[in-house]
Amino acid sequence: MFHHVVSYRRSLVLILCTILFLETQADSDICKKCTCNSLTTRINCAHRNLPSIPQPIPTNVEYLDLRGNKISTIKEGAFTGLSNLKTLNLRGNNIATIKEGAFTGLSNLKYL
């Protein structure tokens, strides 16, 4: 029985390390294009000539500035998993299409 407990613990640690690694990769991908604070709770992608919303976006982000880009479409699920997002700035884009479900799950969004 003890062997099974140790095996489960190892599996759990491996899963947690994988999740942490993937979150770190998400942070670094968007932070190559945009400016991120150390905790990636504030991401500034303003005036970067972005044609679309950069993905993946870290799930802990609270402030996302996408103003002044060339975003024309907001796809379904563009902000999936961003339940901590409070401020989303999309001003100054050429948004012509917003797909159904684009803003689903933004339960804490205060400013759009």
Side-chain angles (χ1 to χ4, degrees):
M1 171 127 175
F2 179 73
H3 176 70
H4 292 293
V5 171
V6 171
S7 178
Y8 290 130
R9 284 186 181 178
R10 285 184 185 159
S11 297
L12 180 60
V13 168
L14 181 60
I15 290 168
L16 291 174
C17 288
T18 302
I19 291 170
L20 180 61
F21 172 76
L22 292 174
E23 274 296 312
T24 303
Q25 286 302 108
D27 295 352
S28 64
D29 287 348
I30 196 169
C31 295
K32 289 177 185 174
K33 297 176 186 174
C34 307
T35 304
C36 303
N37 71 349
S38 61
L39 301 174
T40 61
T41 56
R42 294 182 64 83
I43 300 177
N44 183 346
C45 297
H47 307 288
R48 311 282 167 127
N49 291 317
L50 299 173
S52 61
I53 297 167
Q55 298 290 332
I57 301 169
T59 55
N60 61 321
V61 67
E62 296 177 4
Y63 174 88
L64 181 58
D65 189 351
L66 292 164
R67 67 189 146 95
N69 284 291
K70 297 180 178 181
I71 298 169
S72 61
T73 301
I74 301 178
K75 297 178 181 177
E76 177 183 357
F79 304 106
T80 299
L82 304 183
S83 60
N84 295 318
L85 190 63
K86 297 176 185 172
T87 301
L88 175 59
N89 191 341
L90 291 164
R91 214 176 272 153
N93 283 283
N94 297 318
I95 298 171
T97 306
I98 300 174
K99 298 291 185 177
E100 187 174 335
F103 299 104
T104 301
L106 298 179
S107 54
N108 287 308
L109 191 66
K110 305 258 189 277
Y111 304 102
L112 176 59

